[in-house]
Amino acid sequence: MTHNTELAPPKRAGFAHLRAAAGYSIGGLKRLAKEAAFRQEALAGAGLVVAYAVMEVTAAIRLSAQVLLLLLIAMEAVNTAIEEIIDISPEVSDTGKHAKDLGSPSSA
């Protein structure tokens, strides 16, 4: 398998690499914000923060909830990436259907 490196951007190092990675992350978040599931999860997470503040729960529970919310958002990003890749293909395949089904929240 050969790779065409002519179109690939040059590799960056140090601060330039960090800045480029931050730009990619911001672009990913912008794309993710278009997903209804992400917006619902973010809204539920914000509601949870408010509810925990009112209930005065311990710091350990707040931290656990924040970590779980970040994991949920990360999985939503992975699911969206899978859907983007599968949707590129003009053909319908069982493998593509399985990939999308497995990423669906209702399959969990």
Side-chain angles (χ1 to χ4, degrees), residues 11-24:
K11 295 287 183 181
R12 298 180 178 151
F15 185 73
H17 174 77
L18 182 64
R19 201 170 114 226
Y24 299 141

Side-chain angles (χ1 to χ4, degrees), residues 31 35 79-93 96-97 99-100:
R31 171 58 187 92
E35 291 293 316
N79 182 46
T80 300
I82 291 169
E83 288 180 354
E84 288 283 326
I85 291 169
I86 297 301
D87 289 344
I88 290 173
S89 174
E91 62 200 41
V92 177
S93 72
K97 180 184 182 321
K100 289 180 89 167

Side-chain angles (χ1 to χ4, degrees), residues 1-9 11:
M1 176 179 207
T2 60
H3 297 283
N4 186 355
T5 58
E6 294 174 10
L7 301 176
K11 295 287 183 181

